Each structure stands twice: as structure tokens, then as C-alpha cells.
Amino acid sequence: MAIVSSQSSAIQFEGSGNQNYMPALISLAVLYFMNGFITCLNDTLVPFFKEGFTLSYADSSLVQFYFFLTYGLMSFPAGMIVEKIGYKNGMVLGFAIAAIGALLFYPAADMHLYYLFLAALFVLAIGIVVLQVASNPYITALGPAETASSRLTLIQAVGSIGTTVAPIFGAHYILSRLQESGASSDAVKYPYLGIAALLICIALVVYNLKLPKISTGAESAVASPEVRRSLFSFRNLNYGSWAIFAYVGAEVSIGTFLTNYIADTLKMGVEDANSYVSYYWGGMLVGRLIGSYLLKTLKASQVLTFCAIGAILLVILSVSSSGNLAVWSMIGVGVFNSVMFAIIFSLSVVGLGKYTTKASGILSTAIAGGAIVSFSQGYLKDHSTWAIAFMIPILCYLYIVFFGINGYKSKA
């Protein structure tokens, strides 16, 4: 039995040291691809439902509100479930629940009821929450603590392929049917039916895979003084939770309204504008590939601070300009977003020992920032301008600057 993360975790591999990590890495790559694809497809659903149901910006943002609210409600319970059934079974359970949520899109489309779509998204999000809670600490355990940010960033890069493909898929198969008479809900029927079938297949494959088994080390007879501490006594976890809240809030709110922002800025239809969103998520793919390499040598907290400042400057440039400059500077924020989640998560769990799994649940709870921030920005846009609405993501990035400079430290 070999301890894999020296200081950040007491997570341990069970069995021999000759385990094959390839099945684990492939399953995690598929998991992150589907997570990214499904989550980013919400960015297509927001303008789709806004037009199809004639909604305000705030009402259309309920797609993201209910999806990310699930993180706030279910992450901690999901952490306890995963701790009990194990990481592999947690992944299988997450895929199965997400498949049920995707299947519920069919009756929601048949009845053409917005609140039923929101209910389906809520169930779908429960599955995504379980998947994230199971996968994030698992990835950090697959190597040394010092390279956890790099490892998580690299796997998330695969997720960025999903987020890059999703807007193109959504524009072609969903938004293109927006103008068809009586087809506003039918357009999502079969795409989500296909997603459900794929999720079920993945769940079955993962169930039959032999993945490296890891434990939290909670059963260790001798616990260090640090392990015996209260979970909420870890300063880096407390500040890190709010940093995750701020980061996901900023990332999601920008992605949520980017289609409408581009459509208003360049005076074009939402279908054409939605295709630009893939560049925003594509920027995150490029940034994560570069970041996974740089984070092997650069100090993670400094990279985080630099990226947060870069994001602030680009948002300010975008809302202060017009035309293509405004559009591409906002899209460019994706590059700076790329490594933030992985760094914040990794820095937040340093020194938590056996509490790493429960901490993952707390950090995933903070992903509810995607609900609060996106709804707040939609409300502001309904009552003001884009420039005022985008002040909310700027405030989020300012907090991340603080976390990168001081908040990540375990002691003040």
C-alpha cells in the first residue's frame, strides 16, 4: 500500500503498486468530456428557451439557476454517498442519474412546459454533481500532490473539447429549428434522447472496468494532529469554497449570456452568434493544454492571480469597446478561465488528509455560484446595460485575485 499524495491528502491506493492507470484515465477523460458537453449545452438552451417561451433574461437564466443550484443542494450529500460506495460506483451512479434527467426532456418537450424542462435539468444536474464529487479527488490522488493542479487541468482539457463541441452541436441541432412553427420544444427531444442513450452506455462500460481502488485513509489507526482537525478549521478550504463560487459564477454567467451579448453587439441572429461561443470554450481547451505543462514548474497561486487579472482586463476592454473588439475580448476570457478551477480546487484541499472527499463535496457545493451569479447578471441586464451586468463577473475575478495572493494559504 503506497501513499500517493504526500501532504495534500491521506488518500491511498489499495493493492499492488503495479496497477494499470490507463482505464482510470480514459474513463475520467470520457467523464469530463460528457460533463463539459452537457453543461455547456445549457448555454444553447438559454437563448433557445428565451425565444421559444418569450422569456426575460432573468427567466431564461433559470436554466443555469436550477442546474447549478443542484450543486448547492446535493454536493455534500453526494460526497457522503461517494465516500460510502467508492469512486467507481459513484461515477456509475452519476452517469445513470444524468441519463434519467436527459430522458425527462422527452415528456417535457411533448407537453411544451418550461418548468418541466427545469425539473429535467435539475435531475440531470444531480448526476453531474455525483460525477464531479467522485472524479475530482480521484484525479488528485493519481499522482504527487505537487502536480495535482497540472493533472486536473490536463483532464479538464478533455472536458473543454466537450464544451467546444457543444455550442456547434446546439446551433446546428437546436437553435437552427427555433424558427420552425410548433417545433420550439421538439428540437431538444432527440438530441437529449441520444445523450441519455450515450450516458447509459458509458455507465455500463465504467461499471465493467477495473479501476485502481483508493481509500481516504480514514481507517488508519494512527491519525496525525492535522487529520484530527475540524474540516471547517482549514483556512484554505474556507476561502477556496468562495473562490470556486466566484469562479464558476463568472465562467457560467459569461458563457450563459455570450450568445445574446454577441447577437446584440454584432447585430446578428442568435443561431449565428451561438457559433462564436465555441471559441470561448475552445480558448479554455487551449489554455488548459498550455496550463497543464506550465503548472509543472510555475507556482500555481501566481498563475491563478495572473489569470484572474487578465480576465478582469479583458471584460473591462470588452464592455468599453464595440464591434469585433468587444466580442473577441470577451471570448478571450475563456483562455484565462482555463486553469482557475483546477488550481483553486487543488490549493483548497492541501493538508486536508482524510477529509479530502468531504471537502470535495463542500467545494462542489460552491459550484452553486453558477446559479446565483448568472441569475443576478440576467436580472441586471433586464434593468440595465451589458456594461453594468458584466460588473458582476469582474467582482468575482477580484475575489479570485485575493485568493491567489493570500486566501490559498493554510495560515494567515
Side-chain angles (χ1 to χ4, degrees), residues 320-341:
S320 303
S321 55
S322 60
N324 285 318
L325 178 59
V327 168
W328 288 105
S329 10
M330 191 65 75
I331 289 173
V333 175
V335 177
F336 290 97
N337 279 343
S338 59
V339 297
M340 289 192 197
F341 183 93

Side-chain angles (χ1 to χ4, degrees), residues 244-330:
I244 290 288
F245 181 97
Y247 164 70
V248 176
E251 177 208 281
V252 170
S253 62
I254 291 175
T256 297
F257 298 111
L258 192 55
T259 296
N260 294 112
Y261 177 70
I262 292 172
D264 288 351
T265 303
L266 298 182
K267 312 299 180 187
M268 60 170 60
V270 291
E271 180 186 349
D272 294 328
N274 190 247
S275 61
Y276 281 80
V277 180
S278 63
Y279 293 107
Y280 172 71
W281 297 107
M284 293 185 69
L285 169 59
V286 173
R288 281 170 174 168
L289 290 174
I290 297 172
S292 66
Y293 174 76
L294 294 178
L295 284 168
K296 292 179 181 179
T297 55
L298 298 179
K299 191 174 180 181
S301 59
Q302 293 176 350
V303 173
L304 178 64
T305 304
F306 173 81
C307 288
I309 293 173
I312 292 170
L313 294 176
L314 282 180
V315 174
I316 292 174
L317 174 61
S318 181
V319 297
S320 303
S321 55
S322 60
N324 285 318
L325 178 59
V327 168
W328 288 105
S329 10
M330 191 65 75

Side-chain angles (χ1 to χ4, degrees), residues 75-76 79 83 133 137 231 234 237 241 345 348-350 352-366:
S75 290
F76 198 72
E83 192 173 37
V133 171
L231 178 61
F234 292 93
L237 176 62
S241 299
F345 184 91
S348 299
V349 299
V350 169
L352 267 65
K354 70 174 185 178
Y355 292 116
T356 302
T357 304
K358 289 181 179 177
S360 177
I362 292 175
L363 291 169
S364 294
T365 299

